[in-house]
Amino acid sequence: ASPSMTAAAACVTDLPTVIARAAAPDAATAALPSEVTKALETAADKAFTQAATPGAIVAVRTGKGTWTKAYGHADGDGKTPMTVGTHTRIGSITKTFTGTVVMQLAEQGALSLDDPISKYVPNVPNGDRISLRLLADMTSGVASYTRSKKFTDRYFAKPETIFTPEELLAVGLAESPLFEPGAQFDYSNTNTILLGLVVEKVTKKPFEDVLQTQVLTPLHLKNTVWPGKSTEMPKPFAQGYTLQGDFAKPNAPSNATHWNQTWGWTAGELISNIDDLLVYGRALGTGQGLLKAEAQTERLASFPGVAGYGIGMGCVDGWVGHSGELPGYNTSLFYDTTTDTTVAVQTNSDIASGDCPADRPTLSDNYTEVACPSPATRIFHAVSEALGHPFVMP
């Protein structure tokens, strides 16, 4: 995708109202009205049957209440039911946390979004013309290491491999630049690795310590975990299944639960559960507990055109947030700025289903009567339709 860089039409249309919203009322954690719950269940039930995942957790929170439901199983053999509160890896939703920390440091005067990356990290092609802002909104021209065979061949052959940020960066920079800074949109994990290195350079602390102090503790996100080099997950957790890697077959996906996730670092390493995602999703959209009004206004105004990618997150027709996909797991977390509604979906599979292209593997019992999203994305789309404000990616 190459969204317009002009930002001629705002994706979030009423910034003052969104940012001025009060804290979520106590009623937000009560049960939603039965007629709303029924519509949500009907939509999610059908979408789950079409999704190639053993299990899912779906949640919706508005000012009038919360609905959550667990589907299927937390393992592939059907012995452990999925439960609300189960932990999963959330992949690229991590990018929104990294973007938030960078915005906070800009608020504090520790850095500027207009600083060139060359001020903090040497030897980045065009580094004197690539600002932190261009890294955050994916218009830098720096290639993603995850699209390089030098990375994927190594990782898929030995998923237990521990990577350092410097190793990941070297792979991405070796294939850069893709284009002139600011000229195009290209989703690159290397961009967010660079931002993580900037955070560490500025604060002189490990990124995970800054994240804990500035985001996790203030929002009381006790179930959101930075695993570091460990492949263990907090209990309860779901086993994750994938067709990626060198050993999966269409009728026998690989269990990626304990694949090492250091390769994601500040672009995709976090683990979380549905309760934390609901709290964080609303904070991400409103800025409450994270950013002051001026900084949140800048962030919500950073999207290029009606749909696009801003400072560490995306926006489509007023829905702000991110999806996360990595071997074994798929997550969607979006906040509807038009209705003050947060939707979170976790699945323990990243396997697409439906009418998929040849380069997107599906299970051997796949069907082709529907389109080809990943499982959490499919369920989120269905739930957004039931809420009356469909999320439709251009």
Side-chain angles (χ1 to χ4, degrees):
S2 298
S4 166
M5 296 297 114
T6 62
C11 187
V12 180
T13 56
D14 192 353
L15 288 173
T17 297
V18 174
I19 292 167
R21 281 179 178 145
D26 292 341
T29 57
L32 278 169
S34 59
E35 65 274 14
V36 178
T37 296
K38 183 177 180 181
L40 293 173
E41 285 188 345
T42 299
D45 290 356
K46 180 179 180 181
F48 178 68
T49 66
Q50 298 173 340
T53 181
I57 306 165
V58 190
V60 173
R61 176 166 291 165
T62 75
K64 296 180 179 180
T66 298
W67 170 74
T68 60
K69 186 173 179 179
Y71 291 85
H73 296 87
D75 56 17
D77 57 15
K79 294 181 178 180
T80 305
M82 186 71 89
T83 58
V84 174
T86 295
H87 296 82
T88 63
R89 301 187 188 278
I90 63 172
S92 287
I93 292 174
T94 304
K95 291 180 174 69
T96 69
F97 288 82
T98 303
T100 296
V101 170
V102 170
M103 291 288 293
Q104 290 172 331
L105 293 174
E107 265 193 337
Q108 297 162 15
L111 56 80
S112 168
L113 292 178
D114 296 319
D115 286 341
I117 187 59
S118 59
K119 181 176 179 179
Y120 306 99
V121 180
N123 303 319
V124 177
N126 292 329
D128 59 334
R129 295 187 291 129
I130 296 174
S131 67
L132 304 188
R133 189 185 304 275
L134 296 185
L135 293 169
D137 68 14
M138 302 291 179
T139 61
S140 70
V142 175
S144 183
Y145 61 91
T146 50
R147 289 202 297 269
S148 171
K149 282 183 59 63
K150 290 182 180 179
F151 167 77
T152 55
D153 286 352
R154 181 182 175 192
Y155 182 59
F156 287 153
K158 293 186 65 177
E160 69 274 18
T161 302
I162 295 174
F163 292 89
T164 67
E166 290 74 18
E167 287 178 299
L168 303 172
L169 181 61
V171 173
L173 295 187
E175 300 184 9
S176 301
L178 300 179
F179 48 80
E180 283 293 295
Q184 299 179 39
F185 174 90
D186 185 76
Y187 186 82
S188 170
N189 285 298
T190 313
N191 287 336
T192 319
I193 299 299
L194 282 165
L195 292 176
L197 291 171
V198 170
V199 170
E200 293 197 330
K201 181 75 175 286
V202 168
T203 63
K204 298 180 172 59
K205 296 177 182 178
F207 179 85
E208 57 265 36
D209 291 352
V210 182
L211 178 69
Q212 184 69 53
T213 300
Q214 298 193 183
V215 180
L216 304 187
T217 296
L219 293 182
H220 307 288
L221 304 182
K222 298 180 180 179
N223 288 289
T224 302
V225 176
W226 181 271
K229 296 179 181 179
S230 173
T231 62
E232 298 303 310
M233 295 176 66
K235 297 180 180 179
F237 64 86
Q239 304 280 330
Y241 297 88
T242 187
L243 291 178
Q244 297 192 66
D246 291 354
F247 310 106
K249 299 178 181 179
N251 61 348
S254 290
N255 186 325
T257 308
H258 298 297
W259 289 13
N260 197 286
Q261 302 301 320
T262 50
W263 69 268
W265 202 50
T266 51
E269 191 164 325
L270 282 172
I271 297 166
S272 193
N273 76 355
I274 208 76
D275 292 331
D276 276 14
L277 290 173
L278 285 174
V279 171
Y280 177 69
R282 188 174 192 271
L284 183 66
T286 63
Q288 290 177 13
L290 296 176
L291 296 170
K292 296 177 183 177
E294 183 177 355
Q296 185 66 6
T297 298
E298 180 179 9
R299 194 174 197 184
L300 293 182
S302 68
F303 304 107
V306 175
Y309 203 89
I311 300 174
M313 62 180 181
C315 182
V316 174
D317 190 28
W319 287 99
V320 297
H322 219 288
S323 61
E325 186 173 317
L326 73 175
Y329 301 92
N330 183 214
T331 312
S332 286
L333 179 64
F334 284 88
Y335 174 76
D336 183 3
T337 57
T338 68
T339 62
D340 193 14
T341 300
T342 308
V343 179
V345 181
Q346 300 167 269
T347 61
N348 54 336
S349 161
D350 65 313
I351 303 170
S353 61
D355 187 13
C356 299
D359 61 352
R360 194 166 192 192
T362 57
L363 296 176
S364 55
D365 61 351
N366 179 57
Y367 52 89
T368 59
E369 291 80 8
V370 294
C372 178
S374 300
T377 302
R378 180 186 297 284
I379 297 170
F380 167 56
H381 284 183
V383 168
S384 72
E385 289 179 351
L387 288 167
H389 183 194
F391 179 101
V392 181
M393 181 64 72

